[in-house]
Amino acid sequence: MKVARTIKEVREQVTEWKKQGLTVGLVPTMGYLHEGHASLVDKAVSMCDRVVASDFVNPTQFGPNEDLESYPRDFEHDCRLLEEHGCDMVFYPSVDEMYPDGGGKTDTYVEILDDMPKQLCGKTRPIHFRGVCTVVAKLFNIVLPDKAFFGQKDAQQLAIIKRMVRDMSYGIEIVGCPIVREEDGLAKSSRNTYLNEEERKAALVLSKAVFAGKKMVQDGERSADKLVEAMKEIISKEPMAKIDYVSAVSGRDMSTLKVLEGEILVAMAVYIGKTRLIDNFMMEVEK
């Protein structure tokens, strides 16, 4: 597996692959990789001739007092996982390589101006999706992939990236991949490493609420308010849990639902101690 630290190296290698008529898949990550990321690489390998993963903790998507400095990093581990799963090149740039003005800042952003980024996680992380769109747009321009692969655990991010690709006329297919969970149900996340043993047990309340909510919809519940209240009640029984939000929204544009119909996304963010975790389920509900 090739390790590229500069934009020039990535472009030269991708140009060579394209000359050979090969398709290229991109898996954007912030490193500290786990089985969820591995599943994205596996999917990319199955659909593309060559696969590039980025490994970059993007400063523009972190707000003040968020965990940019403490975000876990282990590039050697990341390389082993990527190589084991068939990745052909990892792009591991410095902050200055991605943001040449220095300090991890830029004067040029890509931003969706409707309400999509203001819902769910965007309510308490107002600059987050601007930073996500900007870094993903940069990665698309650097790698020029045919397909890009994102996890459905970050369902709002996935929907926003799809909108950006449509609006900006990128000729890239966005492939969403299912949530990967621990054996006990907890959604895999790099932030799970922040949890101590007691918090790790408490964190299971997220998946418990998700599974219960999904069953309610499958059993015929169509009131979004009743569904959300039932899920909140489950979470509130865990003393270590503090709800940021639990919401039922349209999976297409993140607008709040009253009636559960069409493509729905039921998503949550919950603090377990100081660690903010997210989980969700998506369903197509007949009208």
Side-chain angles (χ1 to χ4, degrees):
M1 182 180 69
K2 179 180 178 65
V3 177
R5 288 180 166 82
T6 67
I7 294 169
K8 182 173 182 289
E9 289 177 273
V10 175
R11 285 179 169 158
E12 287 177 350
Q13 180 61 80
V14 171
T15 297
E16 183 59 35
W17 287 335
K18 298 252 179 170
K19 284 180 180 177
Q20 299 171 36
L22 303 174
T23 58
V24 177
L26 171 66
V27 181
T29 85
M30 293 212 301
Y32 212 74
L33 306 182
H34 50 67
E35 289 88 344
H37 299 104
S39 72
L40 302 181
V41 177
D42 290 343
K43 187 67 172 177
V45 168
S46 74
M47 296 180 69
C48 303
D49 298 317
R50 296 292 184 269
V51 174
V52 179
S54 62
D55 191 316
F56 178 65
V57 181
N58 174 42
T60 64
Q61 68 192 66
F62 288 80
N65 304 315
E66 292 186 348
D67 57 341
L68 173 60
E69 297 305 322
S70 63
Y71 195 86
R73 295 162 169 86
D74 188 343
F75 184 59
E76 289 185 8
H77 162 79
D78 294 347
C79 285
R80 288 194 298 271
L81 182 145
L82 290 170
E83 195 154 25
E84 287 170 2
H85 286 266
C87 183
D88 298 285
M89 178 166 61
V90 57
F91 178 38
Y92 184 57
S94 67
V95 172
D96 287 347
E97 180 71 11
M98 290 296 283
Y99 298 104
D101 288 339
K105 297 179 180 179
T106 180
D107 292 324
T108 303
Y109 288 94
V110 178
E111 184 173 13
I112 291 175
L113 296 178
D114 74 1
D115 286 340
M116 280 186 77
K118 300 173 185 176
Q119 309 305 316
L120 306 181
C121 288
K123 288 182 178 179
T124 53
R125 305 186 73 192
I127 69 166
H128 176 68
F129 290 112
R130 183 183 74 172
V132 168
C133 286
T134 299
V135 77
V136 171
K138 288 173 72 70
L139 290 169
F140 286 172
N141 289 334
I142 292 164
V143 179
L144 300 176
D146 298 283
K147 305 178 192 295
F149 298 81
F150 294 85
Q152 291 177 357
K153 184 173 77 70
D154 297 297
Q156 185 178 12
Q157 171 180 278
L158 176 59
I160 286 171
I161 294 300
K162 286 181 176 179
R163 173 68 65 83
M164 180 187 79
V165 165
R166 186 200 73 178
D167 290 354
M168 298 300 291
S169 303
Y170 279 110
I172 299 170
E173 179 185 349
I174 303 301
V175 181
C177 301
I179 295 173
V180 177
R181 298 183 180 276
E182 305 282 359
E183 288 186 10
D184 57 10
L186 182 67
K188 287 185 178 288
S189 169
S190 300
R191 289 189 169 97
N192 290 348
T193 59
Y194 297 159
L195 303 171
N196 62 34
E197 186 175 350
E198 187 179 2
E199 290 169 338
R200 174 63 179 73
K201 292 178 182 177
L204 292 177
V205 74
L206 279 83
S207 55
K208 183 179 179 181
V210 163
F211 298 151
K214 188 171 185 179
K215 187 174 187 304
M216 285 179 65
V217 180
Q218 290 171 335
D219 289 346
E221 182 60 70
R222 293 297 179 264
S223 168
D225 288 343
K226 288 181 180 179
L227 175 69
V228 167
E229 286 307 312
M231 293 174 67
K232 284 182 175 179
E233 185 175 350
I234 291 170
I235 297 167
S236 65
K237 290 179 180 177
E238 170 51 60
M240 299 186 73
K242 178 185 175 185
I243 295 173
D244 182 353
Y245 69 82
V246 179
S247 298
V249 301
S250 163
R252 298 184 184 277
D253 62 10
M254 304 294 113
S255 58
T256 302
L257 296 176
K258 285 294 184 183
V259 178
L260 300 171
E261 60 182 22
E263 184 180 330
I264 71 165
L265 166 64
V266 182
M268 65 178 67
V270 178
Y271 285 92
I272 303 294
K274 294 182 178 179
T275 303
R276 185 178 183 276
L277 301 176
I278 60 174
D279 205 341
N280 69 76
F281 69 91
M282 302 181 71
M283 292 180 66
E284 188 71 38
V285 181
E286 291 185 7
K287 296 183 179 181

